[in-house]
Amino acid sequence: VRINLRGLEFRKSDGGTGRLEFRSGEVVDLLQLRTGEPLRLFTDEELSAGRYSGVRLLFDEDEDPNVVATVLGGQFPLRLAEGGFATVDFVVEDGESSHESLTLVLDLRQSLAPDEAVDEYTLTPKLRAVRTDEAATIRGNVATVCPVGTSLATGGAVYLYSGQDVVPDDIDGAGVEPFATTTLTSSPGAGFAYDLRFLPPGQYTLALTCQGSEDVHDRSDDLSFADALNVEVDAEDVLQLDLD
């Protein structure tokens, strides 16, 4: 999923906005950011004074390549839609120097939607922000036996919801929506695993489905989830939670 990233737009609590932009667009393959170190966007930049309450990505829509490429070598046009602001909370004082380190996470499973009628995709960024020095991780191995007709290899996915005792639901734009999602990874001899990174401290409900590949963006799908688990993470926690 290649996009031409332009920068960031910040929202102020008084309704104003501020921008940080690159000199030219930066082509980014979003799938390459699933693991490893995040892409650093800005360091030591100036913002006007005020209280900031939101941030979102800016894209260069007029420049190539904004595409979805397949492993078989095909390409589909990618239409970029304006996403909502991820919540932040920091203050810039007039004439004062301050430091704020934020990590932004783009959930592709909640952001990327195919349009089969015109053979293109639409990216409406579903973004969350966390203070970098507070970010927590939930990860683990998965050995669940899937219902007949499904499998971890083709449909395994983990959904995380804000709050505890949440009844899991799909990504349909209504009712309960996941705070974060991820597909499973696998490697020879190691089985399946999941990794939810850069989470704010808090209480969550975690659930596994073997039908993640059937979850169509903004459509109500009848997904079956395994027993949901209540979890709680503190700042900088790395919680190992195996699912079997």
Side-chain angles (χ1 to χ4, degrees):
V1 182
R2 294 200 297 270
I3 60 168
N4 209 320
L5 188 61
R6 186 69 186 179
L8 297 174
E9 182 177 33
F10 292 89
R11 180 183 62 194
K12 293 184 177 182
S13 57
D14 63 4
T17 60
R19 289 188 171 198
L20 297 176
E21 295 189 53
F22 306 136
R23 293 185 180 88
S24 60
E26 177 77 16
V27 178
V28 178
D29 185 344
L30 296 178
L31 286 178
Q32 296 299 317
L33 300 178
R34 293 182 63 195
T35 60
E37 291 298 315
L39 171 70
R40 182 174 290 277
L41 297 179
F42 294 99
T43 303
D44 296 333
E45 301 291 336
E46 291 186 4
L47 285 171
S48 60
R51 178 177 290 276
Y52 288 82
S53 61
V55 61
R56 65 182 173 188
L57 299 175
L58 294 174
F59 300 111
D60 195 335
E61 300 186 37
D62 297 327
E63 297 291 335
D64 291 333
N66 295 313
V67 298
V68 174
T70 71
V71 294
L72 299 178
Q75 287 192 351
F76 295 90
L78 179 61
R79 187 170 67 87
L80 301 175
E82 192 172 81
F85 286 90
T87 300
V88 297
D89 184 15
F90 64 91
V91 176
V92 176
E93 300 286 354
D94 191 18
E96 298 291 332
S97 177
S98 61
H99 176 78
E100 191 75 31
S101 180
L102 300 171
T103 298
L104 307 180
V105 182
L106 176 63
D107 191 326
L108 270 179
R109 298 190 75 251
Q110 298 187 70
S111 304
L112 191 63
D115 187 340
E116 296 179 358
V118 292
D119 285 336
E120 72 174 17
Y121 284 79
T122 297
L123 182 74
T124 307
K126 177 69 174 180
L127 198 68
R128 68 178 188 266
V130 60
R131 283 188 167 88
T132 304
D133 59 2
E134 295 182 357
T137 297
I138 304 174
R139 61 166 59 116
N141 300 311
V142 181
T144 300
V145 177
C146 289
V148 175
T150 64
S151 71
L152 294 176
T154 59
V158 172
Y159 288 54
L160 190 72
Y161 303 85
S162 294
Q164 298 194 332
D165 298 319
V166 175
V167 178
D169 193 16
D170 64 331
I171 306 168
D172 58 6
V176 173
E177 290 289 279
F179 178 77
T181 70
T182 184
T183 53
L184 305 185
T185 59
S186 64
S187 56
F192 294 94
Y194 72 96
D195 194 353
L196 292 163
R197 304 193 300 161
F198 305 113
L199 301 171
Q203 295 182 330
Y204 299 96
T205 301
L206 184 143
L208 170 76
T209 181
C210 296
Q211 298 174 278
S213 57
E214 301 174 24
D215 195 352
V216 178
H217 195 275
D218 285 340
R219 187 186 78 185
S220 182
D221 299 292
D222 188 17
L223 303 189
S224 176
F225 290 89
D227 291 341
L229 302 173
N230 288 334
V231 295
E232 182 173 358
V233 290
D234 295 324
E236 300 183 89
D237 269 359
V238 178
L239 177 62
Q240 180 77 21
L241 183 61
D242 296 336
L243 305 177
D244 50 28

